[in-house]
Amino acid sequence: MHSSCKLYFFDAQPFSVSPEFSRPELVAIIREQQKALLWLHIDTGPQKASKTTVASNSTLTKLAQGAYQRGVTLFELFCDPEILCEESAELNSNYAQCARALLKTLWRNRDFLKILVEVRQKKLSEVIRLSAPSKKTKNQTPIIPSRIYCTILSRLLGSLDEIERDLDTVLDAYRQERRCYSACAG
C-alpha cells in the first residue's frame, strides 16, 4: 500500500520581516539546506514511515524559521550550541526527538554538505535533549489521584464478583421474564 504526504519547505512570509531586513538569499540557502538534509535523512537506512518524514520536515521548518529570524543558515543553527539550545527550548518533545535524529544525519553527511565548522554531534544532541521539554513534562495530569482511581477499580471488581456469583439466578430470571412477555404479547 502506498501513501502520500505533502512536504512544505521554509519560505519567509513577505510580512514577517520588514523590507530593509529581508534577505532573499538567506531564504534560498535555508530552503536548499532543509531540502538537502531532509533528503539525506530519508535516504538513510530502511524506508521511513510517511508520518516520520512529515515530522522531520515540520521540525526542519520550525528550525528554519528560527534560523531566518536570527539571520543564520539552518546548518549554522544546528552547529552553534547556544543558538541550538535556545531554539530547542521552543520545540515539543516529538520535534526535539526528530531534531536529534536530523543532527545525526547532518553529522554523518557533513563532508558531503560541505559544512566547514566542526559538528560536535554528541554535545549538540545533548544540548537538544537538555533544553527541549521531555515527554514526561508533556504527559497529561490525571483527573483523579491514582489511589482514588485504584479504590474505584477495586470496588468495581468487587461488584463484578457479586454479579458473577449470582449470574445464573439473574439469567434465569431474565429468561422467565422474556417467556412471560412473549406469551402475553403473542
Side-chain angles (χ1 to χ4, degrees):
M1 182 174 144
H2 294 283
S3 63
S4 64
C5 59
K6 290 185 180 185
L7 301 177
Y8 299 94
F9 294 96
F10 173 72
D11 191 21
Q13 300 301 317
F15 301 110
S16 65
V17 178
S18 63
E20 64 266 15
F21 293 113
S22 178
R23 295 182 50 197
E25 72 284 349
L26 181 60
V27 173
I29 291 169
I30 291 172
R31 187 177 175 90
E32 291 308 308
Q33 287 178 343
Q34 180 184 6
K35 288 178 183 179
L37 186 54
L38 185 62
W39 172 252
L40 290 168
H41 186 65
I42 291 170
D43 197 38
T44 57
Q47 184 176 0
K48 293 175 179 26
S50 58
K51 189 174 179 180
T52 302
T53 301
V54 169
S56 298
N57 184 61
S58 298
T59 302
L60 281 172
T61 302
K62 178 120 176 79
L63 292 171
Q65 290 167 346
Y68 182 71
Q69 289 171 350
R70 293 172 179 276
V72 298
T73 68
L74 183 61
F75 293 169
E76 288 171 335
L77 180 144
F78 261 112
C79 295
D80 185 313
E82 187 176 319
I83 295 173
L84 186 60
C85 177
E86 291 171 8
E87 289 298 322
S88 295
E90 301 297 318
L91 300 176
N92 67 32
S93 59
N94 291 333
Y95 280 8
Q97 187 175 1
C98 287
R100 290 201 322 262
L102 289 160
L103 178 63
K104 287 178 186 173
T105 301
L106 180 76
W107 182 80
R108 277 193 306 271
N109 295 284
R110 63 191 179 279
D111 293 334
F112 177 76
L113 294 169
K114 296 179 176 67
I115 297 177
L116 303 175
V117 297
E118 180 187 349
V119 180
R120 297 172 304 261
Q121 188 260 330
K122 287 184 181 178
K123 180 181 180 186
L124 293 168
S125 185
E126 188 68 9
V127 163
I128 296 170
R129 190 184 70 74
L130 293 174
S131 60
S134 68
K135 286 189 183 225
K136 292 176 190 168
T137 61
K138 294 291 184 187
N139 285 346
Q140 190 175 18
T141 305
I143 295 172
I144 57 175
S146 59
R147 64 180 171 72
I148 294 173
Y149 180 70
C150 288
T151 302
I152 292 169
L153 283 178
S154 69
R155 288 187 180 163
L156 287 172
L157 288 172
S159 296
L160 283 175
D161 287 342
E162 286 180 38
I163 291 170
E164 285 179 350
R165 201 176 22 237
D166 299 326
L167 187 60
D168 290 335
T169 307
V170 171
L171 288 175
D172 189 44
Y174 178 74
R175 276 190 226 107
Q176 288 177 14
E177 185 275 334
R178 290 284 89 198
R179 263 188 256 133
C180 287
Y181 180 80
S182 296
C184 292

